[in-house]
């Protein structure tokens, strides 16, 4: 199958042209070929087939046209014309489409031309132009997209003809090309390059008089039709002929254009990016040959240093572009970005002189610009682009040129561009930039204050420059003074301003350019939870959008660098953008903000409740009931404890932020329920700070509601967290307060839970008899109530207390009874903990081998449950058991692992692992067991 678009639309099969009946079918095929091997949406196809007046049945009619086209192409299994999620895709190999061959021949022809391979260039451009069969798609109904494509292909065809003729002239075929030039000048009398080639060919053929006559004809046409004089290049050629001083191989006028802005003297960092871009623009190391057009786009948030990097690179490669450097600020983030036609006019004046007449149409200006750069090596720096559409018309078409583009938008639609997305500076780079402005003595005198200032600037070069400039202009200020002012988060954006330059202003430009009001509202909503990373479902709940719509909106914010998505499906803001987003959030009404907080808080509660059922199934009888989930925001689908733990780890930061917000917006029921349900996860993963912070917020909300049961629940949880962080006295006060409330309410199950925690806490203070009394009381109440789960906790506690009192036999009895009961009620985690403590008691009895067997049996069970405290205990006791069985090497590995686990747990038991490791170091090889 072979498709032709460089002329009337044609499809050939085995050399035979197929009939394509009907204008709509031909339009459909043309539209698909225009985007060959890319997805084309239904809306796009309908627009191309029916223009501005599609009928109500356009969608079904288009499906019918697709079926007809598949039959025509013999594509019954839809392999070539594929159905994709939003439309269709026509799969075409490069050698199956004349346009593909044409573009490839032109690309290789340009490379040969730049290398001075005139024979190769003539052959390749000849092959390209031979594919031309007339005006592309001329027989089809007019559509703007098709007309634009046809105009672009025609321009490339004309340029290919110019290059082929120029190569033929260099090969000494000047006389042979004159008839073709005469024909082309008849069809394209205003195309100056053909006139120039006619003048040159006549002169090279020894026809000096004809060459001068060709120049006079060219000037007459240009002056009469366009009112412009010939270009400086053509005038210079004419002058050389008049003086009989025409070099045989050179007819170009060198350009003296050097528009690059000055390079920053204090440019810091970015070595990797600089090298990458320099290598890209100058070709592979050691290869001095001219390169095809290279297009690099540097993107990032406002103030990240895009322009500084681009200017740095441009100056380093300037010598590789001897024909000059063009620069323009496109003002893409301003209210009135520069239009391409305006920039093109400036470029044409720069290239041809201030008095040069400018074509009226944008397309003509772009064509003229590309023609002027053809055969030259120029660098074009397009700074601060709005989007890909603003850039496309400003790109050279000829090989040998390089283009650097900077933009706050990611420019994903800029075909062929190498995208460089800038991140913040590293800490060392930030300090270096700061020091280069304020001076190294001041930085060395106050290194800690410097670190604090740089941290507040969050690696954003603009922020660092502003902070440093403020200090540099005030020699009497200390770095500490500025650090203190920046320490107040509410004032950071106010402080990061010097004269008319401000970080807030930079961010406002990006925000103000959001064309979609839904995206702007979503950004403001994100400002409520700006401190947290958000998963897509969380963001959907916060913004009150469907998951699909939320993803599209968030990705649009990623594209303009207001939101970052370094991990697929998770979104967060740069530290300073978080402060800006917070400010924008406050522009929403209080009611709207409260509704947004309520949505994401309900989503968090639904998720943590679903996860808790997997993580701590044995505690469900102790959990308060939670409201039914929002039908539009169902609970996450979690298949096991591992998935539940992963969900919690991902939402950990969000749980704290949302609990605080729920409290701030008087959503008290949500504010106490989230930490109440999350305590199981916090306990397993030793998240003490998160646990205590959210618990305190929850307690305030429970008391605001006057809900004594909720208050008792959170007091009990607070006691557990304080006890685990060695704050036993404060933990005891919490348990006693909770116990009083539970007894006042007649809540026996609640009282049991408090007694279990109270007994463990009192035992940590060495009050073993009192601890045993609390645990026996819990055991009695549990058995009387038939509450076997609490009975198992009481037995476990009694075993622990007996072990602490040195009553090993008693401890063994309680833990065996506890393990047996846990097996009966299906509490695997509880049985694991009892087995662990049973092994501890066996070690005290000198039964190291049996203890080792039990520990190896229970280790994977403990690990799968995610309980870090229990994991640390297992590793410690495995080390002790391995010492007892004469395996010091394995023991050392286990104890080292135990110390790593204990590091974040704040548990007194970590000292036991340290003592064992120290003792192991004193053992002699001959006496490994000590």
């Amino acid at each position: 199958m072979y498709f032709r678009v460089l002329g009337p639309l044609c499809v050939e099969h085995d050399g035979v042209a197929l009939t394509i009946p009907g204008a709509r079918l031909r339009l459909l095929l043309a539209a698909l070929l225009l985007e060959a091997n890319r997805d084309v949406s239904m809306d796009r196809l309908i627009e191309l087939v029916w223009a501005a007046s599609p009928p109500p049945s356009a969608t079904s009619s288009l499906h019918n046209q697709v079926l007809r086209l598949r039959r025509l192409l013999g594509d019954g299994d839809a392999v070539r014309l594929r159905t994709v999620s939003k439309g269709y895709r026509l799969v075409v190999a490069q050698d199956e489409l004349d346009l593909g061959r044409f573009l490839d021949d032109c690309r290789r022809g340009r490379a040969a031309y730049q290398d001075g391979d005139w024979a190769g260039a003539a052959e390749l451009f000849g092959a390209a132009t031979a594919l031309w069969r007339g005006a592309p798609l001329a027989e089809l109904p007019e559509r703007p997209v098709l007309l634009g494509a046809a105009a672009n292909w025609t321009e490339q065809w004309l340029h290919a003809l110019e290059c082929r003729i120029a190569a033929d002239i260099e090969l000494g075929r000047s006389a042979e090309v004159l008839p073709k030039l005469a024909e082309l000048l008849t069809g394209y009398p205003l195309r100056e390059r053909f006139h120039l080639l006619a003048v040159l060919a006549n002169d090279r053929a020894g026809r000096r008089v004809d060459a001068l006559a060709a120049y006079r004809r060219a000037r007459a046409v240009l002056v009469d039709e366009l009112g412009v004089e010939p270009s400086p290049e053509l005038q210079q050629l004419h002058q050389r002929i008049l003086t009989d001083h025409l070099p045989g191989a050179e007819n170009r006028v060198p350009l003296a254009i050097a528009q690059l802005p000055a390079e920053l003297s204090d440019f810091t960092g970015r070595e990797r990016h600089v090298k990458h871009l320099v290598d890209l623009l100058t070709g592979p190391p050691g290869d001095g040959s001219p390169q095809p057009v290279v297009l690099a786009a540097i993107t990032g948030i406002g103030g990240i240093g895009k322009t500084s990097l681009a200017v740095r690179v441009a100056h380093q490669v300037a010598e590789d572009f001897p024909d000059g450097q063009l620069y323009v600020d496109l003002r893409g983030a301003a209210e009135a970005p520069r239009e391409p036609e305006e920039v093109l006019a400036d470029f044409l004046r720069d290239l041809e002189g201030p008095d040069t007449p400018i074509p009226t149409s944008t397309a003509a200006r772009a064509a003229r610009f590309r023609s002027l750069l053809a055969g030259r090596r120029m660098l074009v720096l397009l700074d601060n682009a709005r989007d890909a559409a603003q850039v496309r018309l400003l790109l050279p078409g000829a090989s040998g040129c390089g283009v650097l583009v900077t933009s706050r938008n990611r420019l994903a639609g800029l075909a062929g561009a190498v995208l460089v997305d800038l991140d913040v500076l590293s800490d060392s780079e930030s300090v270096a930039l700061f020091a280069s402005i304020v001076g190294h003595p001041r930085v060395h005198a106050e290194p800690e204050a410097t670190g604090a200032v740089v941290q507040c600037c969050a690696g954003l070069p603009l922020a660092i420059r502003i902070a440093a400039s403020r200090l540099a202009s005030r020699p009497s200020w200390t770095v500490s003074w500025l650090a203190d002012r920046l320490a107040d988060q509410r004032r950071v954006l106010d402080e990061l301003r010097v004269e008319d330059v401000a970080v807030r202003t930079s961010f406002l430009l990006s925000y103000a350019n959001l064309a979609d009001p839904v995206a702007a509202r979503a950004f403001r909503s994100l400002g409520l939870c700006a401190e947290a990373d958000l998963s897509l479902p969380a963001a959907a709940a916060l913004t009150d959008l469907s998951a699909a719509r939320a993803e599209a909106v968030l990705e649009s914010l990623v594209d303009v660098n207001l939101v970052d998505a370094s991990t697929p499906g998770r979104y967060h803001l740069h530290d300073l953008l978080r402060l800006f987003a917070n400010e924008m959030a406050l522009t929403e009404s209080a009611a709207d903000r409260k509704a947004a907080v309520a949505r994401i808080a309900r989503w968090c509660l639904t998720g943590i409740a679903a996860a808790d059922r997997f993580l701590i199934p044995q505690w469900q009888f102790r959990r308060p009931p939670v409201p039914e989930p929002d039908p539009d925001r169902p609970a996450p689908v979690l298949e096991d404890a591992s998935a539940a733990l992963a969900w919690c780890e991902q939402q950990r930061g969000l749980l704290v932020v949302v609990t605080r917000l729920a409290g701030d917006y008087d959503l008290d029921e949500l504010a106490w329920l989230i930490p109440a349900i999350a305590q199981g996860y916090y306990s397993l993963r030793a998240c003490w700070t998160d646990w205590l912070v959210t618990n305190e917020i929850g307690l305030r909300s429970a008391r605001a509601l006057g809900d004594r049961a909720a208050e008792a629940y959170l007091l009990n949880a607070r006691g557990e967290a304080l006890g685990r962080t060695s704050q036993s006295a404060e933990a005891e006060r919490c348990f006693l307060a909770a116990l009083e409330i539970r007894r006042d309410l007649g809540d026996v199950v609640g009282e049991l839970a408090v007694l279990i925690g109270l007994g463990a806490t009192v035992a940590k203070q060495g009050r073993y008899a009192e601890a045993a009394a609390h645990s026996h009381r819990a055991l009695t109440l549990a058995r009387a109530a038939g509450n076997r789960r609490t009975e198992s906790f009481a037995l476990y506690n009694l075993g622990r207390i007996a072990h602490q009192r040195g009553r090993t036999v008693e401890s063994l009895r309680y833990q065996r009874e506890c393990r047996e009961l846990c097996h009966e009620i299906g509490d695997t985690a509880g049985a694991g903990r009892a087995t662990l403590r049973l092994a501890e008691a066996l070690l005290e009895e000198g039964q190291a081998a049996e203890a080792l067997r039990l520990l190896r049996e229970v280790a994977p069970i403990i690990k799968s449950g995610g309980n870090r405290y229990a994991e640390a205990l297992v590793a410690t006791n495995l080390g002790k058991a391995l010492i007892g069985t004469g395996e010091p090497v394995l023991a050392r590995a286990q104890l080292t692992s135990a110390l790593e686990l204990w590091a974040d747990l704040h548990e007194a038991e970590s000292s036991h692992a340290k003592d064992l490791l120290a003792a192991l170091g004193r053992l002699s090889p001959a006496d490994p067991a000590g």
Side-chain angles (χ1 to χ4, degrees), residues 57 106 111 185 305 312 373 378 390 400 410 520 523 748 804 902:
S57 61
C106 286
L185 283 168
R312 174 79 162 194
L373 265 60
M378 293 197 72
Q390 189 187 25
R410 292 184 184 269
F523 180 76
V748 175
Q804 291 166 330
W902 285 121

Side-chain angles (χ1 to χ4, degrees), residues 56-313:
S57 61
T59 299
S60 60
S61 180
L62 184 64
H63 287 310
N64 292 332
Q65 295 291 340
V66 168
L67 291 175
R68 292 179 65 198
L69 184 55
R70 281 176 173 154
R71 285 196 294 269
L72 175 72
L73 301 177
D75 187 34
D77 53 358
V79 172
R80 181 178 290 279
L81 179 47
R82 300 177 182 176
T83 302
V84 294
S85 60
K86 296 181 180 179
Y88 297 95
R89 178 195 302 168
L90 184 63
V91 179
V92 180
Q94 181 172 294
D95 61 357
E96 290 182 317
L97 178 63
D98 60 353
L99 178 63
R101 293 183 180 181
F102 173 80
L103 294 176
D104 184 58
D105 286 338
C106 286
R107 178 185 60 78
R108 293 189 293 139
R110 286 191 295 269
Y113 192 96
Q114 288 295 329
D115 288 341
D117 178 8
W118 309 120
E123 180 181 356
L124 288 163
F125 281 120
T129 55
L131 294 167
W132 194 261
R133 297 177 297 114
L137 310 176
E139 83 287 6
L140 296 181
E142 289 190 356
R143 297 290 186 269
V145 172
L146 299 183
L147 291 173
N152 181 46
W153 300 339
T154 301
E155 175 59 33
Q156 294 185 66
W157 168 66
L158 291 170
H159 180 64
L161 284 170
E162 293 168 350
C163 291
R164 179 190 174 180
I165 292 170
D168 282 333
I169 292 173
E170 296 296 337
L171 291 168
R173 302 169 183 167
S174 298
E176 298 172 29
V177 302
L178 285 171
K180 181 65 176 176
L181 278 169
E183 177 189 336
L184 289 169
L185 283 168
T186 301
Y188 302 92
L190 300 181
R191 194 166 181 90
E192 189 180 27
R193 187 70 178 172
F194 286 150
H195 285 289
L196 186 148
L197 290 170
V199 174
L200 181 64
N202 275 293
D203 185 77
R204 292 282 187 89
R207 302 173 181 178
R208 184 168 179 270
V209 173
D210 291 336
L212 294 172
Y215 175 79
R216 287 193 297 273
R217 286 193 298 272
R219 184 178 183 278
V221 169
L222 294 171
V223 171
D224 292 344
E225 297 295 332
L226 300 177
V228 301
E229 288 290 333
S231 68
E233 185 178 11
L234 183 50
Q235 292 184 47
Q236 183 70 21
L237 176 59
H238 176 234
Q239 189 63 35
R240 287 177 178 175
I241 294 172
L242 287 173
T243 59
D244 198 24
H245 183 67
L246 180 64
E250 177 62 45
N251 58 32
R252 290 180 295 183
V253 180
L255 298 171
I257 298 175
Q259 298 180 347
L260 294 178
E263 185 178 358
L264 290 174
S265 60
D266 54 17
F267 182 89
T268 304
R270 308 295 194 197
E271 289 87 354
R272 178 173 59 86
H273 292 107
V274 170
K275 183 179 186 307
H276 172 57
L277 289 167
V278 168
D279 289 346
L280 185 70
L281 288 163
T282 58
D287 181 1
S289 63
Q291 300 296 308
V293 175
V294 176
L295 173 58
I298 304 170
T299 65
I301 66 173
I304 201 68
K306 302 177 291 293
T307 299
S308 300
L309 173 62
V311 171
R312 174 79 162 194
V313 170

